[in-house]
Amino acid sequence: MAFASLRLHTVQVVVSTDAKTAADAMRLAHDGAVEGGFLSPKPSGMRFSPTFLNPGTEFVVAYADEQPIASLVLTEDGPFGLPSDRSFVEEIDQFRRDGDSLFEAGAWVVTNEWSRHTLALIGLIFGAAMRLNIATSPTRRMVAVIEPRRADLFGAIFGYELATEPRPYLLLPGTLMVTRRASEWTDHFLEPGSAAAR
């Protein structure tokens, strides 16, 4: 998109469960997955997972001039499990046994037109997810499956810790990462690296 750098300050992030926001997020996720080669085009033009039906699941969409340009799905752990269960169920189950309150950040995408601002947009959509969850429970953890080459970046920005080595996930290598518990998020953002993962 022309002059995207001049318009980055106008980007608005919406976190919602309404039909429009959900549809925008699932359309972007579909297009990104098809382009990435791990999803065949669907007649609906949307990427859907039964895990999205878990109570509490939310959709995060960044808009520029009402055009969706980036998205993220925050899947709450629930009766349909988490998307990462398909490859990392043993590790996820251990966090559950430890009493952690889990939600997963997944199906995230930035449109090609805004790809040069990927880092800024990821910060906005993931940052919104963490701000909304920081006070909900001290044992709150956000999990995500990250491309191995991006693991260090996500760890540095959001305090993600490596939970597994890469495994096949949606036909591509994926690494399960998990944040510290929410009770430690403030320490991480004030002094990254100061709080040890638990």
Side-chain angles (χ1 to χ4, degrees), residues 1 28 35 47 50-51 53 122 129-130 135 144 146 154 158 167 177 190:
M1 190 174 294
L28 287 183
E35 185 176 326
R47 177 181 173 187
T51 62
L53 297 175
I122 287 174
M130 300 192 82
I146 305 294
F154 275 75
F158 300 112
R167 293 180 191 163
M177 302 193 77
L190 291 175

Side-chain angles (χ1 to χ4, degrees), residues 16-31 44-48 52 59-61 63 68 71 73:
S16 181
T17 59
D18 68 72
K20 179 187 183 305
T21 308
D24 286 342
M26 288 190 286
R27 283 191 196 98
L28 287 183
H30 171 272
D31 293 347
S44 66
M46 296 186 188
R47 177 181 173 187
F48 173 77
F52 296 172
F59 300 87
V60 184
V61 180
Y63 292 92
S71 63
V73 180

Side-chain angles (χ1 to χ4, degrees), residues 95 100-105 126 129-130 133-134 137-144 146 154-155 157-163 176-185 188-189 195-198:
F95 288 118
D100 291 323
S101 171
L102 301 176
F103 69 108
E104 183 165 344
F126 274 79
M130 300 192 82
N133 283 275
I134 194 168
S137 167
T139 61
R140 199 82 162 124
R141 286 188 192 261
M142 180 164 64
V143 300
I146 305 294
F154 275 75
I157 296 176
F158 300 112
Y160 273 108
E161 297 266 324
L162 192 67
L176 181 68
M177 302 193 77
V178 60
T179 61
R180 299 178 173 96
R181 288 179 169 177
S183 58
E184 299 178 48
W185 288 356
H188 169 76
F189 289 116
R198 294 178 186 173

